[in-house]
Amino acid sequence: MNRRSTSALWLTVCLSALLPCGCTSISIEPSCPDALRVGESGILAAHEDNPGEIAQYAWEVLPSDAGTVENPDQPQTTFTALQEGTVVLRLTASDGIYRVQSQCTTLITALTLTVTLEATPDAAEVGETVLLTCVSVGPTEAAEFIFTQTGGEPVELTDFLPGVAAFVPEQADDLSFECVGADAAGVTGLPGSVSVLITEAADGGGRDGGRDPRNPR
């Protein structure tokens, strides 16, 4: 994580009528990801010290169209990269008496390998063959597609064409899957995802009769 503060502006206001100057103030050392690709997200953290009871926080993105902060008023939150280039994540924090400001930087690189994942059908019955199709949609074509089940009762995925896998569910459930594409060097892009709702067969058995998913009809 990038915790190098490229600049730090201390704006301290000591209310001499209430507290003597030299009292302990809030301090921050914000961190952000060293690098993200367009569309990726990463954690921002204030790493605050002596925040007091009424600390307030405000994250800024410079330039403003480079990305978004999910909860800009929280000491730890999520940043999503939207534009290629170097982005400054500036944090202003206040403990009610003192206000401090510091920042970190993230390099956002272009996303060149993306995929979409579709299920056919996207709602099926127990025993029915479901095809998962993963397709490159970015400027870089994937040399390999990697399927992973991410939720639901485990099923056996069978690869029988590049970018196409199949499974036959054995029980009703809500299943979810991801696919990532890898280029010739093995570098993967962002995943595509899909969910498939599996219900009990109306006749109490699968409509496929357990047919071979390598030869779906």
Side-chain angles (χ1 to χ4, degrees):
M1 299 289 286
N2 182 344
R3 294 183 61 178
R4 294 174 299 170
S5 175
T6 56
S7 69
L9 175 63
W10 284 78
L11 301 177
T12 60
V13 179
C14 191
L15 303 181
S16 57
L18 300 177
L19 294 171
C21 289
C23 51
T24 301
S25 66
I26 186 173
S27 65
I28 53 174
E29 190 180 353
S31 68
C32 48
D34 291 319
L36 292 172
R37 287 179 291 186
V38 172
E40 286 186 319
S41 299
I43 299 298
L44 306 181
H47 300 287
E48 69 275 21
D49 194 19
N50 300 316
E53 297 295 328
I54 56 171
Q56 295 181 326
Y57 304 88
W59 290 93
E60 296 177 81
V61 180
L62 304 170
S64 60
D65 60 353
T68 58
V69 178
E70 183 176 1
N71 295 299
D73 60 349
Q74 297 299 311
Q76 181 167 312
T77 185
T78 301
F79 170 73
T80 300
L82 299 179
Q83 298 287 342
E84 184 180 1
T86 299
V87 60
V88 174
L89 286 311
R90 179 182 295 165
L91 175 61
T92 301
S94 170
D95 60 9
I97 299 176
Y98 297 95
R99 183 165 72 96
V100 295
Q101 191 177 84
S102 191
Q103 63 195 38
C104 54
T105 60
T106 296
L107 176 64
I108 303 174
T109 57
L111 183 64
T112 60
L113 201 166
T114 57
V115 298
T116 59
L117 180 61
E118 295 183 351
T120 308
D122 57 6
E125 294 181 350
V126 171
E128 181 179 5
T129 298
V130 179
L131 296 180
L132 301 177
T133 304
C134 193
V135 180
S136 297
V137 294
T140 301
E141 287 289 330
E144 181 185 7
F145 297 94
I146 304 166
F147 292 91
T148 305
Q149 184 176 357
T150 57
E153 183 67 20
V155 298
E156 182 179 354
L157 289 173
T158 303
D159 296 325
F160 65 96
L161 287 174
V164 181
F167 68 92
V168 179
E170 297 181 353
Q171 66 182 60
D173 205 349
D174 190 4
L175 309 179
S176 56
F177 303 88
E178 281 189 353
C179 172
V180 295
D183 62 19
V187 178
T188 58
L190 292 180
S193 60
V194 72
S195 295
V196 184
L197 179 63
I198 307 299
T199 58
E200 295 289 350
D203 59 2
R207 290 185 294 176
D208 287 350
R211 71 173 181 256
D212 186 352
R214 295 178 180 272
N215 186 29
R217 298 191 299 270

